[in-house]
Amino acid sequence: MKIVFCLLVFIVVSCTLRNEKREADYLLRELEDKLMDSNDSLAYLLWNEINDTLVLSMTEEQRAQYAVLSNQVFDRMDMKYDEELLKEAIRFYEHSDCDDYYRGLVYYYYGHVLRQQNEMYSLECYDMALECFRQCGNLRYEFLCHNYMGCVYEKNYAMKNAIRKYKEAIDVCKKYKNEDYKNCMIASLFRCYVSCYVFAGDTMSLQKV
């Protein structure tokens, strides 16, 4: 009788776990699909549909994906990033053969966290994210990594490095197909680029740009 009871408990628990995994997969896909929707729609899905119980039942891979998607939402809503979730995702992605895009986003957002704590520590994370985005050919985030690294160097008065990163960001921009967006971003970056030359007192090199 005990064996039958234990077997029934095992079957019920297994079915529950499979159902929770399927539900988590569905909601994570929905969250990813809705990243361009309104903030209200994203907030409802993130805080009502994906509850704490479901998050706790997620597999390591699902939690890593949840860390990426939830921090994308926080970034869009100008909210504080979830540092602990990002650390957990980094530990997972360091030892798994996963998509470079998701790995890059984890390092990218953790770079944002470190930039708020200690500017220079964020550079390593942005650099690791940059390598991932190069591998998967994501120009948008490749550009953003160069840009943020340029900002960090500029804020810490490392003007030669700032100039180098802004120049690399401009080079990435030149690959964009949307001409209006490309020209707008290049113009914005060029102002930063020029200001670094001026601050460094290297106006002779500026004349060659």
Side-chain angles (χ1 to χ4, degrees):
M1 191 67 181
K2 287 183 178 179
I3 295 175
V4 174
F5 177 75
C6 290
L7 183 60
L8 287 172
V9 170
F10 175 76
I11 292 171
V12 169
V13 170
S14 297
C15 290
T16 302
L17 291 174
R18 281 198 298 271
N19 288 336
E20 287 175 342
K21 185 179 185 305
R22 281 197 295 268
E23 183 183 3
D25 279 336
Y26 170 77
L27 289 173
L28 288 171
R29 283 197 303 271
E30 189 176 3
L31 182 59
E32 187 169 23
D33 291 341
K34 289 189 173 183
L35 281 174
M36 299 307 294
D37 286 3
S38 68
N39 286 354
D40 289 342
S41 175
L42 284 171
Y44 179 82
L45 180 58
L46 190 60
W47 286 291
N48 290 278
E49 296 292 330
I50 305 178
N51 53 50
D52 291 342
T53 303
L54 184 63
V55 173
L56 288 173
S57 71
M58 288 178 177
T59 64
E60 281 189 284
E61 184 176 3
Q62 287 174 333
R63 282 179 65 83
Q65 187 181 3
Y66 173 71
V68 171
L69 295 172
S70 59
N71 279 282
Q72 279 185 290
V73 176
F74 299 153
D75 185 43
R76 175 172 165 175
M77 294 182 175
D78 199 23
M79 295 174 62
K80 184 179 179 181
Y81 302 107
D82 191 323
E83 183 176 355
E84 292 307 312
L85 259 182
L86 288 169
K87 285 180 178 178
E88 185 180 331
I90 285 173
R91 286 194 294 270
F92 171 77
Y93 285 132
E94 279 179 343
H95 304 289
S96 69
D97 184 20
C98 68
D99 190 291
D100 282 317
Y101 175 68
Y102 281 110
R103 191 196 306 271
L105 284 176
V106 168
Y107 286 121
Y108 173 77
Y109 285 117
Y110 194 57
H112 284 358
V113 170
L114 293 180
R115 194 161 61 94
Q116 294 169 353
Q117 298 172 0
N118 186 313
E119 292 266 342
M120 298 305 286
Y121 286 164
S122 67
L123 291 171
E124 184 178 357
C125 270
Y126 286 135
D127 198 44
M128 294 172 78
L130 180 61
E131 185 56 35
C132 292
F133 295 132
R134 279 175 175 157
Q135 291 294 325
C136 66
N138 191 301
L139 291 179
R140 177 173 180 265
Y141 281 105
E142 190 179 335
F143 154 74
L144 287 171
C145 287
H146 283 305
N147 186 44
Y148 278 117
M149 291 173 80
C151 291
V152 170
Y153 281 127
E154 183 179 1
K155 192 171 181 180
N156 286 274
Y157 307 107
M159 293 305 168
K160 287 186 178 179
N161 284 329
I163 289 167
R164 175 173 56 83
K165 296 312 295 184
Y166 285 140
K167 175 65 169 60
E168 288 172 345
I170 289 172
D171 290 341
V172 172
C173 274
K174 290 176 180 177
K175 300 176 185 177
Y176 285 1
K177 292 181 180 179
N178 186 316
E179 289 296 325
D180 291 337
Y181 182 74
K182 175 171 70 176
N183 293 334
C184 178
M185 296 310 297
I186 289 176
S188 175
L189 280 167
F190 198 72
R191 284 194 292 272
C192 298
Y193 190 52
V194 170
S195 70
C196 288
Y197 270 113
V198 172
F199 188 89
D202 191 3
T203 53
M204 293 300 291
S205 295
L206 183 58
Q207 292 174 8
K208 302 173 185 178
V209 176

